[in-house]
Amino acid sequence: MNTQSTQRFAAVDLAKIGLVAAIYVVLTVTPPLNNLAYGPLQFRLSEILNFLPFYNKRYIWGVTIGCFLSNFFSPNVAAVDVIVGTAQTLICLLIGVWLFEHVFQKRYLPSFVAFIILDAVGGMAIIAAELLLVYKDPFLLMWTTIGAGEAAVLIVGAIIIGLLGKKINLTR
C-alpha cells in the first residue's frame, strides 16, 4: 500500500468518525431532543449510534467524541458529565465490542442484547452515581429511570442499526 492510499484511508476514516460524532451531537443538543438528553429522566436518541462500533471499531471514537462534545451542553453538570459520561460511554463501547468479537464470535443479536444490559444496567449505574453526587438525587431512583430510558433507546437503536446494517455495509 503506498503512502497516498494510506493517507486517503486515514482521511476517509477521520471523516466517518467526524460524521458520526456530528450526528451524535445533533441528536443530543437540538431542541426539543435536548430536553430529554440530560438529567434524571434521560431518553438520549443519539445513543442509537452505540451499535455502530459493532460493525467497525472506528465508530467507538465517533460515538465517544460525540458524547464528549454533547456533554458540554449538560445543564448544571457539564464539567462532571464531560469526564464521567464520556468515560462511561468509552468503557461500555470497548467492553461491548470486546464481547462481540471474543465472547459472541461476531454474532450481532446476542452481542446487541448483552450490550443493552451492560449499558442500561452497568453504564447507567455510573451516571446515576454522578447525578447523586451533583444533585443529591436518590441513587436507585436515578438508576431506574435513566436505565429504563437508556434501555428503551438501545432497543430501538439495535433494531434500526441492525436493519441498516443489512442494507448498507457499515463495516467499511
Side-chain angles (χ1 to χ4, degrees), residues 35-51:
N35 292 331
L36 292 174
Y38 307 99
L41 294 173
Q42 291 187 18
F43 191 81
R44 195 178 270 203
L45 189 59
S46 52
E47 293 287 290
I48 65 173
L49 300 174
N50 284 355
F51 294 101

Side-chain angles (χ1 to χ4, degrees), residues 98-160:
W98 183 86
L99 289 171
F100 171 68
E101 291 178 343
H102 300 289
V103 175
F104 298 110
Q105 281 91 38
K106 298 191 177 187
R107 291 187 321 233
Y108 289 101
L109 183 60
S111 300
F112 283 13
V113 170
F115 183 77
I116 291 167
I117 294 167
L118 168 72
D119 195 30
V121 176
M124 293 307 107
I126 294 168
I127 303 305
E130 173 189 346
L131 293 175
L132 169 68
L133 210 96
V134 175
Y135 289 123
K136 308 293 186 240
D137 287 333
F139 174 80
L140 287 176
L141 178 63
M142 294 300 98
W143 192 16
T144 302
T145 60
I146 294 168
E150 184 74 359
V153 169
L154 290 176
I155 290 167
V156 171
I159 293 167
I160 291 171

